[in-house]
Amino acid sequence: MRSLHRTGTALVRDSSLVWLAGGIVGVSFGAVSVADGLPVWVPVLMSLVVYAGSAQFSAVGVLLAGGGPLAAAATGLLLNTRTAAFGLAVADLLGPGRATRLLGAHLVTDETVAFALAQPDPARRRAAFWISGLGLFAAWNTGVAAGALAGSALGDTARYGLDAAFPAVLVALVLPVLRAAPGVRRAALLGAAIALAVTPAVPAGVPVLLSLCALVVVRR
């Protein structure tokens, strides 16, 4: 029991940086959405039901540019197709029961999957997934609500550099795996090269999807 408590405490401590970054970017999303003309309930409800940071930013961008709900939904779905691969990676961490697996699927994000898979054993990976996932969900939605209520009072959120928070956290999470696994390191380098090469020619979000082609290196 004491060992479980220590493990849980350590995971909460380690994932707190991810929660902080999620809350900060959530504030940015909520503020940008409301400041550009959407009602407060739109980003708040979207964050509860959709819960997909980059897809939410893209969908709101489509709406604010004059696109319809179907175009916004299609954009979000396209960007979030990468989570299908993430779901396969953590399928054994969700536990039994349809309700548990549905909730777990809703919590699948880049950060939560990276944090869970960085753990050394299955039990710790399962605990890390749920602790990180539930904490990030709470932090993201709290941040979105706060940003939406603040509205235009924050001004131009881009000048604060909030968009750099998540990439910085992801780099910190994956570095241990990259150091320990040469195959993963080669795939990551190839994926980064693919993303950089196609960025000038394809819409935002597509480079991330195309970089998944580098997984063939790990497979081989």
Side-chain angles (χ1 to χ4, degrees):
M1 182 66 70
R2 186 173 298 175
S3 175
L4 289 175
H5 181 266
R6 283 200 300 267
T7 298
T9 302
L11 290 174
V12 168
R13 181 196 62 223
D14 293 344
S15 59
S16 59
L17 179 61
V18 181
W19 301 344
L20 177 61
I24 291 173
V25 180
V27 170
S28 176
F29 172 72
V32 166
S33 301
V34 173
D36 286 344
L38 292 178
V40 171
W41 66 267
V42 172
V44 172
L45 182 61
M46 183 185 292
S47 295
L48 288 170
V49 177
V50 178
Y51 184 51
S54 59
Q56 289 181 228
F57 272 105
S58 299
V60 165
V62 171
L63 290 174
L64 294 175
L70 291 180
T75 301
L77 285 172
L78 174 64
L79 291 180
N80 242 33
T81 52
R82 70 187 188 282
T83 58
F86 298 160
L88 293 175
V90 298
D92 59 333
L93 305 181
L94 304 186
R98 182 174 297 180
T100 301
R101 298 182 74 83
L102 283 175
L103 175 60
H106 191 55
L107 298 178
V108 169
T109 64
D110 311 57
E111 300 77 23
T112 295
V113 171
F115 182 69
L117 296 183
Q119 306 307 314
D121 59 78
R124 192 178 176 96
R125 283 196 288 271
R126 182 175 290 108
F129 175 85
W130 286 104
I131 290 174
S132 174
L134 291 170
L136 183 57
F137 181 80
W140 170 261
N141 282 279
T142 300
V144 170
L149 292 174
S152 58
L154 294 177
D156 182 11
T157 57
R159 66 184 178 184
Y160 303 127
L162 299 180
D163 55 340
F166 264 167
V169 170
L170 280 176
V171 169
L173 288 174
V174 302
L175 275 178
V177 180
L178 295 179
R179 291 195 186 101
V184 175
R185 186 162 59 245
R186 288 193 295 270
L189 290 173
L190 178 58
I194 293 172
L196 287 174
V198 302
T199 293
V202 299
V206 176
V208 177
L209 298 177
L210 294 178
S211 69
L212 292 175
C213 296
L215 292 175
V216 70
V217 174
V218 178
R219 178 70 176 178
R220 288 178 177 173

